[in-house]
Structure formats: structure tokens, C-alpha cells
Amino acid sequence: MGNTRIPGINRYDAPAGGWGALRATAKAVVEQMRVAEAPGLLLRLNKPDGFDCPGCAWPDKDHTSTFQFCENGAKAVTWEATKKRVTPEFFAAHTVTELLTQSDYELENHGRLTHPMAYDAASDTYVPIAWDDAFARIGATLRGLASPDMAEFYTSGRASNEAAFLFNIFAREYGTNNFPDCSNMCHEATSVGLPQAIGVGKGTVSLDDFDHCELIIAIGHNPGTNHPRMMGTLHECARRGATIIVLNPLKERALERFADPQNPIEMMSFSATPIASTYHQPKVGGDSAALRGIMKAVLERADAGEDVLDRAFIAEHTHRFEPFAEELRQASWDEIVFASGLTRDAMTQIADAYVRSSATIITYGMGLTQHDRGTHNVQQAAALLMLRGNYGKPGAGICPLRGHSNVQGNRTVGITEKIDPVMFDNVEKVFGFRPPNVHGHDAVATMKAMAEGRAKVLICLGGNFSVALSDSDVSFKGMRNLDLAVHLATKLNRSHLLIGKDALILPVLGRTEFDVQAGGVQSITVEDSMSMVHASRGKLKPASEHLRSEPAIVAGMAMATLPESKVDWAGLIADYDAIRDKIEAVYPAFRDYNARIRKPGGFRLPLGPTERVWHTPSGKAEFITAAMPEDSALPAPDALMLTTLRSHDQYNTTIYGLDDRYRGVFGRRDVLFVNEDDLEALGVAHGDVVEVSTALRGEEHRCLRLTAVAHDIARGSVAAYYPEANNLCPLDHHDRQSGTPSYKSIPVRIVRAG
Ligand SMILES: Nc1nc2c(c(=O)[nH]1)N[C@H]1C(S)=C(S)[C@@H](COP(=O)(O)OP(=O)(O)OC[C@H]3O[C@@H](n4cnc5c(=O)[nH]c(N)nc54)[C@H](O)[C@@H]3O)O[C@H]1N2
Ligand SMILES: Nc1nc2c(c(=O)[nH]1)N[C@H]1C(S)=C(S)[C@@H](COP(=O)(O)OP(=O)(O)OC[C@H]3O[C@@H](n4cnc5c(=O)[nH]c(N)nc54)[C@H](O)[C@@H]3O)O[C@H]1N2
Ligand SMILES: [Mo]
């Protein structure tokens, strides 16, 4: 790969994990925390009496395991438990205009927010405000809107079940279903696609299934960075001989080989375990075609008389198999090969491995969902599993890797813009009011309403909405159209600084900190990727005595906004058991909620497919066809397909550092990963600065300058970091069915910068 020396670009040849991971953890601790506190704090991660790791949503064995080492979990914790502070003095010394010139990395690295702050236009600074004055200002503004639908209630997936549920009840009693959330940008294709296919919008496997599976097909996720605790599981699966097939346009080191920092032999001998048995590199956006190819190959063997389908499962538990199979029989291999970027041979080999396995799990992440056909992609993965009855038996099922540590729980307790008649009936019974019967705004619809001046208030329960969303030009302008933005946050970010008329920053307690209310010390609860609900209790002294918990702030806003509220807000926040009682009353699946979270490990929410029960209109699992896209949806022939990625030193819009160790990038983020042959075809050299522009109809102007770097990535595909590349993705470039922005299939043109 290119011999030219480029500053900050060095091939990384070691396995993922290992000593490098230990060194990186030590560095994070030294930079952010008091060294003496860190070991004790990290030991409290994911223990029955400790707090849930804010890093990812991968479950822990019964939450009783001994300390599971995880570099990026440690970064998430030390970033929150930092000793750095953003005080009123800090704000007095920096105007908002000045702060806007700083990078996302610098903004958050100033430390934890300590006081409620309000924007003061005269001085262009944030100044302190008393909590009650902040609530009164929010209440007055919300009550003054011509319609409740001019307010938007955004949730980022770190919020607890308790906070998210109160937020749900507050906004609905106020009178709107406008619930944009980070899930709209993440697994919405799962939330929309899986219920149509298998009757539930969640994964169906538990951690135990990984002990029994024979084959894992891992599609479009990068666990070495984003689900690091999953590496322990994959490492175990690989060592006991389970087959792991990876579909990913980029060669990701942790999926190739991994040295487990908990394994003394691997550490002492500098050895590692190969993870992927075979690694296939489809082109970006090629997964649906690849999955169709695999299914076509399975069907060809079945049609030749081989016993490769679970015909009993298909007959008893599925619907529309015949038309689905017929469509695949008719599909042309040439088209599938072209659209997937894989050879027919490769797809046939995967099919062969699939029919050999009697228990298969498909795991997937953003590489499958963030496409203009994300919902179809997810449904093809679901269908592949149906062919051999891979639901409701040990070692089998579908496993979407959720993002934020409680994003799945937020959905379960009602963060959705969709009308949910069952929930609305129960809310009416429990609280005595009925939510409005109009569909609310998701993330993209919210930003459109903001950009067009139809939305005037945005309340953010965490997150960095305008930076996370596509189309930064439009999104940043949208923020500036608001009458009031309210940010419940731990750290300062760019969304706080894009001010319209008025803005408030309300500093919250983090997961790691203890939360004391009138009724004593409180626990919150979260749901992981595998539907396990458990308690989490912080252990640290709060970063400032002025912080409030998220439930308490939501209640404060509600009381100031709804003087006639039917909800006993003060009673609910005095003791969070009272909130959980209400959650249970609205969502009966939480039966005995308070009793069951007091047991170590918590409890699992019911999932139909694990019992082979299908909550679809037909009462069966549905085969849903994803025919090839129409020609008009295809990018121009000379375009390349851009995908956007997380680096190893990043948590979404939070940038911990500027390295992406496993991809060989150090101290910078302004790179474009390109296949060597594509570089040559473009007449661009490794290290050249290029201009990347969007190649969608009428979208030629969104230019970004990056340094082209030769990388092991599928031909025709290029990759850059999120959020820097977000402006290249137009707001209406999203999955038609789920609204998920197509962050991972943006057609682009590339030219050498003159
Ligand atoms: N440390 C850390 N942990 C995190 C996060 C973080 O930012 N940092 N974010 C959290 C959140 S909210 C989420 S949603 C998850 C995200 O976790 P992932 O889903 O792993 O996230 P991404 O980095 O977006 O990249 C996904 C992978 O998809 C591949 N890919 C890109 N395009 C395609 C494609 O078209 N097809 C296929 N098959 N693969 C493709 C990329 O090469 C990459 O390996 O992680 C969560 N955990
Ligand atoms: N191009 C591109 N864009 C993407 C993606 C992509 O892959 N490519 N991924 C998308 C995905 S999967 C997601 S989930 C979204 C993420 O979108 P968001 O969830 O909105 O973004 P985050 O960066 O996770 O939010 C970071 C902020 O959350 C606040 N925060 C941290 N912890 C807490 C807490 O405990 N409480 C509160 N109240 N605040 C807290 C801090 O102030 C921090 O600045 O981005 C999406 N955007
Ligand atoms: Mo996410």
C-alpha cells in the first residue's frame, strides 16, 4: 500500500486489543481523572451493585461477572468522570462566537458542566440562572406557542428508562407526539423492518445463544471499537470453533484478529486469536444484494433436491415463502453480483456454510441500517434466518447491535413519534389524559420543521442533535431558527452554541454519580441489546453540587409548564420506584418491575420470536421481498459510494482523541479511505488532498476537502469520519420506510484539489 510517507498515517499490523488497549486505557485515566479513583470506579462497571457502562449496549453475563476489561468502556467512563470543569467563570471568559471556532473535541474536553446557564445575547455569553427561573422560562415559552406541535422533544439513548418515561409523559400531556430521537438516525430500520418481518423490533438472541451457535454472520459493525465487550464473546466463539463470516467493505482489524487483554496467555505471548473464518468485502450499500445472493444459492440447492431448508418451520411459522422464493429464482446473478460487489462464488460459499450450520446468528450494525434501503436490508437478514428456522431455538436468531447503552429501553418506555393506541389507552387509564391522535415528528421531520420555521422550541434530553444529523448546513441553520433550545447535558457541545433567540444548558448527573432524592439514594434502570432490564446506581460524588438528575429536571420542566397537570411529578421523583410503578402500569411487560430489578442481573422482557410467536398481522413471520432498486435510485455511473464511520477514539459526536489506531490513523481525522485501484483510476496519489462532493441529483455543492489514503476497502467504496462528513448527506437522503438517514451510502465525486 502506498509507500509515500504521510503525516499521521502508519499501517497498523498488530492484532486488535492486547497491550495497545491497556496503554490507551491508562492514557485516558491519566488525562481525565484522578488516578487514585479510577481503578475502583472501573471495577464498579456492570456489577450488580454498580453502574451500567455508558459505553455500549452489549449485555454482561448476569451482570455478575468479574471486571471485564474494555478500553472504550474505560474511555466513556473516564470522559464522564473527568476532573475538568466548565464553570460560570469559563463561560464568562469565552463568548459563544469564540467557542464556535473550537473543534468538537476541544468543546467537550473542557470538562463537565457545573451550573444551569442561560444565553445572554447582550454579552454573547452563557450566564448562570437559578433552576426555578430556568424552569419558569421553559414553561412560559411552551405555554406561549400557538400549537404544542411547534415544540420538539429529542432524546439521546443514554437517558434512563425513568427519565425517558417522564419525558414521554410530559410531552404527551403538553400535547404533542414530536419525539425525534437518536434511534431515528441509528436502528430505525430495525424498529420498522423487524416488526413487519418477525413481529418485534428488537434482537431475538441472548448471550447464552452465543455459547451454542455454530455460525455467526457479522454484517456492518465494528465491535473492536463500538461494542468492545462483544469481542470477549466473539473471541470465545472463535476459540471453540464456531464459524464467523464477516461482511464488511473495510477490513476491520478486530474482526480479523484479537488479543484478549483478559487472557494472560495471549498477553504474555503476544499472540492473538483469528476472529473471522472468512472475510468478505461487499461494496458499500451492497448487503441487500449479497443477502439475496446467499438466499438464491440456498434455494438453488433446495430446488436441486437437497434437504437444506427447514420446511416444517417455513410451513408452520412463515407467510409468503413461495412468492419470495420465486422472485429470487427469477433474479439474475449478474445483477446480484454487480449490486453486491461479491462474486457468485463467494455468495455460494457463504450459503454452503449456512446450510451446514444448525444454529446461526446474524449480528449487524450501522453498516446495514444507515442506507436508503435500510429497512429492506434488515428484512433480508431476517429472511435468511427464516429459511432454516433460526428463531426460537438455542444458538440462533437475529442480533442488531444497539448503539447507546439505553437506546432500546428509551423505545420500550415510549420514546416514539408514532401513534401507539395500546400505550395511549394505558396512559389515559393511568394518568387521566389521552395523548393527541396525530403522528409526531421523527429526527428528519423535526429538522425540516425547524429549518422551515414551523418548530420553535427544541428540548434535548442529552445528545448533540444538529451535529449528529445529516446536512449540517441545514441543521445548523435550523437551530438558529428556534425561539428556545434547552439542553440537558453533561458536557458542552456545538448544538448548545447554535443559538436562535434563547438557549438554556441544564447540567445533569451522569451514570457514574450518586443520585439522592427526597426518598434517598436512587437507582435507574436500563435495557441492553438483548432486552435485559437491570438497575444501575452511580458511585461517585457528583461533578458539582448544582447538578440535578434527568428525571428531576424533566419533572421541574413539567411542573412549570403544566400547572394543572394530572401527574404527581413531585411524588414520582421523590422515589424512582414510583416512576417504575407507573411504567409497569402503562407497559405490562414490566410486571413486578421493582422486585425484579432488585435481583442481580435483572430480568428479560418477553420476545415473541423466542417462543415462535409472531405479532404480525398474519400471525406468522413474513418473507418480504426487496427487489433491486429502480434505476432512478442508483447513483451516477462515475460516482463512488461514501460511507461514514466512527474512529476508535470517538463516541458519536464526542471525540476523545484524534487517533484511529486499528486503521492506522494518528493525530488527525481529515482522511478519505480509498481502494488503491480506485486511486489509480482517479489519477489521485496516496496522500493527495481531494475534494469530495455529493453526486446526487442536483447536489453538487457540498464540498469537503480530505486527504486520500490507500486502504483495504471494497472497490467503488470510500469512507470518511462522522460527523465531519455529515454535510455531504442531504437531509432528504434517507430510507423511505424508516427515515434513517443514508449516512452509509452517499454517492460522491472525487477530484484532486487544485
Ligand atoms: N466507542 C464507541 N462505542 C460506540 C459508539 C461510538 O461512537 N464509540 N457509538 C454507539 C452507537 S450510537 C452505535 S449506533 C454503535 C455503532 O456501531 P457500528 O455499527 O459498529 O458503527 P460504525 O462505525 O458506524 O460502522 C459500522 C461498520 O460498518 C461498516 N460499513 C460501512 N458501510 C457498510 C456497508 O454498506 N455494508 C456493510 N456490510 N458494512 C458497512 C464499516 O466499515 C464499519 O466497520 O456503536 C455504539 N458504541
Ligand atoms: N454521518 C453519520 N452520522 C451519524 C451516524 C453515522 O454513523 N454517520 N450515526 C448516528 C447514530 S447511530 C446516532 S445514535 C446519532 C447520535 O446522536 P446523539 O445521541 O445526539 O449524539 P451523541 O454524540 O451521542 O451525544 C453526545 C452528547 O450527549 C451528552 N451526554 C453524554 N452523556 C449524557 C448523559 O448521561 N445525560 C445527558 N443528558 N447528556 C449526556 C453530552 O453533552 C454529549 O455532548 O448520530 C447519528 N449520526
Ligand atoms: Mo446509534
Side-chain angles (χ1 to χ4, degrees), residues 108 154 156 404 464 468 488 491 493 550 644 653 722 726:
E108 280 212 34
Y154 178 74
S156 169
H404 275 292
N464 190 1
L488 284 70
K491 294 241 182 147
N493 66 44
E550 291 173 347
T644 57
T653 68
Y722 139 61
N726 283 31

Side-chain angles (χ1 to χ4, degrees), residues 55-57 72-73 182 186-187 218-223 225-228 247-250 252 255 279 282-287 364-368 370-371 401-404 643-648 650-654 656 663 722 744-745:
C56 77
N72 278 359
C182 70
C186 179
H187 265 294
I219 311 177
H221 64 94
N222 185 21
T225 291
N226 298 320
H227 308 94
L247 291 179
N248 195 316
L250 276 83
E252 302 286 26
L255 289 167
Y279 203 122
K283 57 171 120 161
V284 158
D287 302 276
Y364 69 90
M366 298 297 99
L368 200 63
Q370 292 174 331
H371 295 278
L401 290 147
R402 292 282 165 175
H404 275 292
T643 190
T644 57
L645 309 168
R646 292 157 168 79
S647 79
H648 192 62
Q650 145 177 18
Y651 197 96
N652 298 339
T653 68
T654 296
Y656 302 129
R663 298 195 188 109
Y722 139 61
K744 287 190 171 44
S745 39

Side-chain angles (χ1 to χ4, degrees), residues 363-414:
T363 59
Y364 69 90
M366 298 297 99
L368 200 63
T369 62
Q370 292 174 331
H371 295 278
D372 44 4
R373 292 160 56 80
T375 300
H376 278 303
N377 290 352
V378 168
Q379 290 173 339
Q380 300 319 293
L384 176 59
L385 290 171
M386 283 175 212
L387 291 181
R388 292 181 48 80
N390 280 304
Y391 293 98
K393 69 180 185 189
I398 195 154
C399 179
L401 290 147
R402 292 282 165 175
H404 275 292
S405 50
N406 194 39
V407 62
Q408 186 160 319
N410 291 175
R411 265 296 149 81
T412 309
V413 300

Side-chain angles (χ1 to χ4, degrees), residues 198-420:
I198 59 169
V200 64
K202 300 182 180 184
T204 67
V205 298
S206 69
L207 214 42
D208 289 341
D209 288 315
F210 284 84
D211 295 337
H212 302 291
C213 65
E214 293 176 16
L215 170 67
I216 298 170
I217 304 180
I219 311 177
H221 64 94
N222 185 21
T225 291
N226 298 320
H227 308 94
R229 276 178 294 124
M230 183 192 196
M231 287 315 301
T233 308
L234 289 179
H235 187 259
E236 261 174 55
C237 289
R239 289 177 81 87
R240 72 171 170 78
T243 304
I244 301 177
I245 295 177
V246 172
L247 291 179
N248 195 316
L250 276 83
K251 275 275 173 70
E252 302 286 26
R253 180 50 46 85
L255 289 167
E256 296 181 280
R257 50 189 207 278
F258 180 71
D260 187 351
Q262 314 234 71
N263 181 319
I265 298 176
E266 284 186 354
M267 291 300 278
M268 295 322 290
S269 62
F270 293 89
S271 61
T273 300
I275 300 296
S277 323
T278 40
Y279 203 122
H280 298 276
Q281 291 175 279
K283 57 171 120 161
V284 158
D287 302 276
S288 172
L291 288 161
R292 281 160 50 81
I294 299 165
M295 290 191 280
K296 186 174 167 72
V298 172
L299 285 171
E300 282 174 353
R301 289 182 58 167
D303 290 346
E306 287 186 68
D307 182 20
V308 293
L309 298 174
D310 185 340
R311 293 200 184 266
F313 178 87
I314 292 174
E316 191 184 340
H317 290 290
T318 71
H319 185 221
R320 293 188 62 80
F321 169 69
E322 260 319 313
F324 182 83
E326 193 46 37
E327 193 275 334
L328 280 175
R329 286 185 195 105
Q330 300 302 325
S332 104
W333 271 115
D334 285 350
E335 275 183 33
I336 289 176
V337 166
F338 175 76
S340 66
L342 295 182
T343 61
R344 178 172 174 177
D345 238 21
M347 290 179 271
T348 306
Q349 273 173 34
I350 302 173
D352 292 346
Y354 179 56
V355 303
R356 272 197 305 275
S357 159
S358 60
T360 299
I361 293 175
I362 296 183
T363 59
Y364 69 90
M366 298 297 99
L368 200 63
T369 62
Q370 292 174 331
H371 295 278
D372 44 4
R373 292 160 56 80
T375 300
H376 278 303
N377 290 352
V378 168
Q379 290 173 339
Q380 300 319 293
L384 176 59
L385 290 171
M386 283 175 212
L387 291 181
R388 292 181 48 80
N390 280 304
Y391 293 98
K393 69 180 185 189
I398 195 154
C399 179
L401 290 147
R402 292 282 165 175
H404 275 292
S405 50
N406 194 39
V407 62
Q408 186 160 319
N410 291 175
R411 265 296 149 81
T412 309
V413 300
I415 300 299
T416 171
E417 76 286 355
K418 301 186 177 66
I419 294 171
D420 178 344

